[in-house]
Amino acid sequence: MASTAVVQVDLQGKLPKVASGKVRDLFAVDDKTLLFVATDRISAFDVVMENGIPGKGALLTALSIYWFRYLQSEIPDLKTHFIDNSLPSNLDNSLSSSLLDSLRPRSMQVRRLRVIPIESIVRGYITGSGWNEYKKSGTVHGIPLPAGLAEGQKLATPLWTPSTKAEVGDKDENITPEQARGVIGDAATAQEVERLSLQIYTAAAKRAEEVGIILADTKFEFGVDEENGNQVVLIDEVLTPDSSRFWPKVTWEENLGRAQPSFDKQYLRDWLTSQGLKGKDKVVVPDDVVERTAAKYQEAYETITGEKWKSG
Ligand code: ATP
Ligand code: MG
């Protein structure tokens, strides 16, 4: 991967900045279009680290684009916000070539939509915050589950387990599907979000399984296309190591009942926990943890797409 991490993106005022999330910076191309730029920032337990993971932004963008294309071929009625991975032409003419080279692989143009304010999580396996809740109450997001499940066990059927979508600095909270329907408001929209989430999870889990990866859980976001009969559209990043837990299938069974090895930010989460830094601000991640995390992300990309990762 490239040697320095890009944690801030400066377009020198050429496009207005619309928002800045934990990982992405969004710029307005026009009224209907955003330039969606993934930086190399990394967050864990809802806190952004001081330093980034070199190459991560480009990798997340490339993997999201892979999945947008894959999902559209598998689910013909699915609409996504992805337009293309070009830069708007006015940038091409006005920024330095080194800035353009850094920007190109980490950016995509997307349709600007009204964001539905929930994190549409689907869980096929019980782990993470779902496992913590189950241990206490035998439920996941308020949904009762059979007694005696082990950590990492496969659920009888994938579950739609949404959470709130917190403002920057706040924590997402697990809620029941019923509460999520209330947040979404319109019943038909809520039903469509649930249906699409489960359908996308199932298609992606099947693809992952073919290459030896278990998609334990993942998070989607959806927007509403108000100019097209309030159609529900898949937005944001999709099925990346930031938004998903990917486990190697070969070691799943032997690790039932404890944490699974994974191709995602679990390595960073475990390091933070072991150092007593979980949820703390201003954490500088040491070089070896940066490198191991980068290697995990790269392994996820290469296994899923079947393509070698070209460092930027
Ligand atoms: P995280 O995803 O790590 O929880 P975050 O929500 O702050 O953090 P980022 O990925 O840094 O997210 O920023 C992306 C932001 O862009 C999110 O707030 C997301 O809801 C929003 N977004 C995604 N797609 C669109 C779209 N098509 N139109 C408008 N906003 C979008
Ligand atoms: Mg996000």
Side-chain angles (χ1 to χ4, degrees), residues 24 219 221 236-237:
R24 287 174 184 75
K219 180 212 88 178
E221 289 193 43
D236 208 55
E237 63 176 335

Side-chain angles (χ1 to χ4, degrees), residues 25-250:
D25 292 333
L26 279 56
F27 300 88
V29 178
D30 57 42
D31 289 357
K32 293 182 179 166
T33 315
L34 293 174
L35 188 67
F36 197 68
V37 185
T39 69
D40 296 335
R41 296 192 289 266
I42 188 162
S43 72
F45 304 114
D46 287 319
V47 182
V48 182
M49 305 296 117
E50 284 290 287
N51 52 331
I53 308 291
K56 172 175 174 280
L59 189 149
L60 295 184
T61 297
L63 189 54
S64 291
I65 292 173
Y66 167 85
W67 281 116
F68 280 130
R69 293 186 172 135
Y70 181 80
L71 293 169
Q72 268 176 327
S73 71
E74 289 292 301
I75 310 171
D77 71 333
L78 177 70
K79 301 289 177 231
T80 85
H81 72 159
F82 177 64
I83 300 172
D84 64 32
N85 57 346
S86 70
L87 292 177
S89 49
N90 64 322
L91 289 187
D92 262 341
N93 303 329
S94 54
L95 296 177
S96 72
S97 61
S98 63
L99 184 51
L100 289 168
D101 287 346
S102 156
L103 214 48
R104 219 171 260 117
R106 66 180 72 247
S107 305
M108 54 189 182
Q109 294 196 54
V110 303
R111 288 195 284 152
R112 186 176 187 171
L113 298 165
R114 176 165 67 76
V115 177
I116 297 176
I118 63 154
E119 310 267 355
S120 195
I121 300 165
V122 178
R123 299 174 189 271
Y125 293 73
I126 185 158
T127 186
S129 66
W131 171 246
N132 291 336
E133 181 184 326
Y134 175 78
K135 274 191 297 185
K136 281 189 208 125
S137 59
T139 59
V140 169
H141 297 239
I143 304 164
L145 291 182
L149 294 181
E151 181 176 5
Q153 198 152 331
K154 187 174 187 175
L155 299 168
T157 166
L159 296 177
W160 183 57
T161 54
S163 75
T164 58
K165 188 173 152 50
E167 298 294 321
V168 171
D170 287 344
K171 258 191 97 50
D172 298 338
E173 302 281 348
N174 287 352
I175 53 176
T176 65
E178 208 40 54
Q179 286 171 311
R181 289 183 196 107
V183 173
I184 297 171
D186 172 63
T189 303
Q191 200 182 6
E192 187 66 353
V193 168
E194 178 173 358
R195 180 185 76 85
L196 288 171
S197 298
L198 290 167
Q199 201 175 355
I200 298 165
Y201 172 85
T202 303
K206 183 168 152 275
R207 163 73 201 153
E209 176 114 32
E210 283 164 11
V211 292
I213 289 181
I214 288 175
L215 175 61
D217 56 31
T218 192
K219 180 212 88 178
F220 306 115
E221 289 193 43
F222 291 91
V224 171
D225 185 352
E226 290 171 325
E227 287 172 12
N228 258 311
N230 285 341
Q231 196 168 43
V232 175
V233 179
L234 179 63
I235 64 169
D236 208 55
E237 63 176 335
V238 270
L239 295 154
T240 70
D242 268 12
S243 63
S244 319
R245 284 193 175 85
F246 296 125
W247 296 339
K249 203 167 119 185
V250 282

